[in-house]
Every structure is written in C-alpha cells, then in structure tokens.
Amino acid sequence: MNRHHLLQQRVQQRVDELVGSGQETGVQVAAYLHGEPIVDAVAGVADPATGRPVTPGTPFFSFSTGKALTSTVVHVLAEQGRLDYDLRLAEVWPEFARHGKSGVTLRHVLTHTAGLPALPPDVTTADLADWGRMCAILADTAPEWEPGTAHGYHVWTYGWLVGETVRRATGRTLSQVLATEVAAPLGVPGELLLRVPDEDLDRLAVLDDRSWSDALKQLSAQLPNFDRAVPHGARPDADLGNDRAFLRAEVPAVGTITARAAARMFAALLGEVDGVRLISPARLREATRPVTRGPEWTFGMPVRWTLGYAVDGPMIEVGGIGGSLAGALPELGLTIAATKNSLAVGDGDPMEQLREMIISAVREETPATLPSRISRE
C-alpha cells in the first residue's frame, strides 16, 4: 500500500503542476487496482468565474467518454438476460428496417460496423437534444456500407442506435438503467450521467476551449467524411458542453462523469468492487475481444473496436475530445479515468501521460506480467 501512496502523491503533484502552469484549469484522475482505489487526485477550479474548486465529486461533461457508460449498460442488460448482442434492431424498432437495415444487429452498433455514422448536413444542436427526431432520422437513413463489412466511428449516432433499441426492448431509457443497475449499486449516484438532472447542473465543471475548436476546423478540412459524421451545426465544442438544454437531454453518445466513478465502473466490469460485479468473467472476455481491423470510415485511421470499447495497446477504453478518458487493462486488473475542463489538442496530451505514469508504476510492482490477451489477438 505504501507504493500506492507514493503513486497517489506523484499523480497529485503532476496535476498540481499542470494547473499551476496554466496548462489546465481543472483536473480529476482516478485509478482502481483489483477493485481497490489507488489514485484519486484533483486540482484546479471547476468554474473560473466563481473560483469553485474541483472536488472528487465534481461531474465533468466528457464527450465520447460517455459511450463507455452506454456500452456498459448493454453488457449489464445482456448479463441479466434482458438483451442479446445479436438482436436485430428492427425486431423491437420496426420502422428501422427501412432502406435495407433489417439485418442490423446490436453487435453491429457496438462495433461501429452498422454503416450509420452520418447525419444530415443541416442537423443542429437543438436536433441532437430531440430524441424522437434523431431516432426518426436514423430509421429513415440508408447505410453507408453493408452492415458488418466495414467500420467507422459512429460519433453521434451510436447513442440513439443503442438507446432506442434498449428503450424498445426493455421499456427503460439508458439513463434509467445506468442509474439503477450501475451507479446505485456502485455507490456513485449523480456521477455517471447520460443526461444531467436540473438539480445537478450547478455542480458541473465549466468547460473552456484552448485549441479544440481550431482542431475541429482542421479535421473538417482534412478528412472527407468528418463533416458527414459531425455536421457544422453539431460540433462537439466547449459551448455545446456548457449548453444546459443540451446537458438536460439524453444524448448517449456523450456523457457526464467523475473520474472516480468511471474508474470504479470499469473496475466492476473486471471484478468485484465492494461486493459488486457488473458482468461475469465470460462476458468480460467477450466484451473485450477485438473485432474490427484496419482503417475506419470517419477518421480514416486504423482503429480496433471490441463490443463497445476501443483498443489502445493493452487497454480497452473510450476517450473524449479535449482529453478525457476512461478504460481498463484487464491483464493488470487496473482501471484509469481522467477528466479536465480545458479542451485542447496538440498539448502533449497530459491525461494520456498521467495514464502511462499509473500503468508504469503498477507494472513495476507486478512480479510477472503476462502478455496482454488483447494485444495477442
């Protein structure tokens, strides 16, 4: 435990330096090892206008890191026998079958192979908050490729595709399942959110833009499919992440988290956390097995997806724009999450550096580390 105390000190020192230098405004970093917390470091302010400090319980809107919550809900429901990965969406959502989509399964959606990453060019942030409108758009959309034959990051559409399927199949929204089946058993109510209740809005960290808006413009100019997946009226920037109407809506491709709750959730996927285990070891193996290979449609980069999580070396994780991340190293029993409110790119990615610091420290104290099962497959 002394080594873990030293790791906590090292991480805390680093986040203090990041805030002290002005590179970051507010930061949370948390890690669990074999179901026990080993890092919970915070620094900076959640709201520069008022000076409200970041605490371990301050929720941060963390963009696509929220997909980890959505994916986890699916696995929990599958573990309970209430959902099947091979469920055809049209079985519970009949209008979705239009334009040759009758064979699209939940497995296709989880692996970003459904062929539905694009949105209409005139979609707005108000549209994103309109559940019925977005589901109707997707039901009436033709796939970009034959489902299952290619993959492309479903930046926005992931949430409605999974969420409407869950709603139709179970009668509950993703937020309802997340609150009762994940957050409550883990003792982190109000820290894993796919929509923010009115009473929690004032607790959130306020986002600011360092370099992310410029990065969005570059992505738009350089990538042929980026604007189709992320239209100009639906840019995931700091203004969107501070928009209360948007935050109140259920948009399950994005989410609001604390680092400690996200690390705890991943820990409960790997094993027990205070007596709570979300899924079985067999389901964990299935959920973390890489499925896709090669370049994907949206960004044109090679990306490997499991059932709902991206593979980054030995980690399964989902990262959000501007620097947030949450994931796990099953081989080590380690989970890590980080949040921040200054959205930046090209800054050396300090949250990834902190992640590597934690991984290296845990590896050093692990007597014999087997090769990662993920990297071998």
Side-chain angles (χ1 to χ4, degrees), residues 11-29 41-48 52 54 60 205-212 320-325 338-354:
V11 174
Q12 184 64 59
Q13 180 181 354
R14 181 58 184 146
V15 296
D16 287 340
E17 290 170 353
L18 287 167
V19 170
S21 70
Q23 185 173 353
E24 299 294 345
T25 302
V27 178
Q28 295 173 332
V29 182
V42 301
V45 295
D47 184 354
R52 175 166 53 93
V54 174
F60 282 66
V206 178
L207 305 186
D208 65 88
D209 188 303
R210 293 290 173 94
S211 58
W212 180 248
I321 67 164
S324 64
L325 59 88
T339 64
K340 53 183 283 187
N341 52 356
S342 287
L343 307 183
V345 68
D347 59 350
D349 210 333
M351 299 303 102
E352 287 199 7
Q353 292 173 5
L354 284 160

Side-chain angles (χ1 to χ4, degrees), residues 96-134:
F96 182 80
R98 298 175 197 148
H99 307 297
K101 300 198 299 298
S102 61
V104 175
T105 67
L106 191 53
R107 189 182 299 274
H108 289 142
V109 178
L110 291 170
T111 56
H112 296 263
T113 63
L116 296 164
L119 286 174
D122 59 350
V123 75
T124 66
T125 54
D127 292 329
L128 298 181
D130 186 334
W131 187 271
R133 173 164 172 72
M134 298 313 300

Side-chain angles (χ1 to χ4, degrees), residues 20-351:
S21 70
Q23 185 173 353
E24 299 294 345
T25 302
V27 178
Q28 295 173 332
V29 182
Y32 272 66
L33 183 63
H34 302 305
E36 297 291 335
I38 59 170
V39 172
D40 190 1
V42 301
V45 295
D47 184 354
T50 65
R52 175 166 53 93
V54 174
T55 72
T58 301
F60 282 66
F61 180 70
S62 298
F63 295 96
S64 283
T65 304
K67 289 183 177 70
L69 314 185
T70 294
S71 303
T72 295
V73 166
V74 172
H75 297 311
V76 169
L77 289 171
E79 185 70 25
Q80 296 173 351
R82 300 180 185 184
L83 210 57
D84 189 278
Y85 303 131
D86 294 313
L87 172 71
R88 290 186 297 111
L89 274 60
E91 290 181 36
V92 295
W93 183 2
E95 57 270 42
F96 182 80
R98 298 175 197 148
H99 307 297
K101 300 198 299 298
S102 61
V104 175
T105 67
L106 191 53
R107 189 182 299 274
H108 289 142
V109 178
L110 291 170
T111 56
H112 296 263
T113 63
L116 296 164
L119 286 174
D122 59 350
V123 75
T124 66
T125 54
D127 292 329
L128 298 181
D130 186 334
W131 187 271
R133 173 164 172 72
M134 298 313 300
C135 289
I137 286 172
L138 286 171
D140 201 36
T141 298
E144 296 291 330
W145 59 81
E146 182 182 347
T149 64
H151 66 114
Y153 188 37
H154 288 45
V155 179
W156 284 116
T157 59
Y158 187 83
W160 301 298
L161 292 169
V162 175
E164 184 66 358
T165 303
V166 167
R167 190 183 73 83
R168 300 266 186 139
T170 70
R172 293 190 291 168
T173 66
L174 283 166
S175 282
Q176 290 169 334
V177 180
L178 180 66
T180 59
E181 309 294 338
V182 180
L186 290 175
V188 287
E191 296 185 35
L192 296 171
L193 301 168
L194 293 170
R195 58 171 297 275
V196 182
D198 287 354
E199 62 269 22
D200 288 328
L201 286 167
D202 289 336
R203 298 173 48 226
L204 268 58
V206 178
L207 305 186
D208 65 88
D209 188 303
R210 293 290 173 94
S211 58
W212 180 248
S213 290
D214 288 340
L216 285 172
K217 292 175 184 176
Q218 291 177 17
L219 290 170
S220 175
Q222 295 170 4
L223 302 177
N225 293 323
F226 184 77
D227 285 349
R228 299 193 60 209
V230 188
H232 287 279
R235 289 291 196 244
D237 55 20
D239 288 341
L240 181 65
N242 292 327
D243 184 327
R244 291 193 163 210
F246 177 78
L247 289 165
R248 289 188 189 102
E250 180 138 345
V251 187
V254 295
T256 301
I257 62 171
T258 65
R260 69 180 181 184
R264 189 171 176 86
M265 180 192 77
F266 270 100
L269 289 171
L270 299 190
E272 280 197 10
V273 178
D274 294 333
V276 176
R277 180 164 194 162
L278 295 176
I279 60 175
S280 68
R283 190 167 303 280
L284 174 66
R285 287 192 294 271
E286 183 172 11
T288 57
R289 185 173 62 246
V291 177
T292 64
R293 292 181 182 274
E296 55 86 66
W297 181 89
T298 306
F299 292 98
M301 297 184 298
V303 178
R304 303 184 74 193
W305 283 96
T306 74
L307 286 177
Y309 312 105
V311 178
D312 185 359
M315 285 198 75
I316 59 157
E317 68 172 20
V318 184
I321 67 164
S324 64
L325 59 88
L329 283 85
E331 62 164 300
L332 292 181
L334 175 67
T335 70
I336 303 169
T339 64
K340 53 183 283 187
N341 52 356
S342 287
L343 307 183
V345 68
D347 59 350
D349 210 333
M351 299 303 102

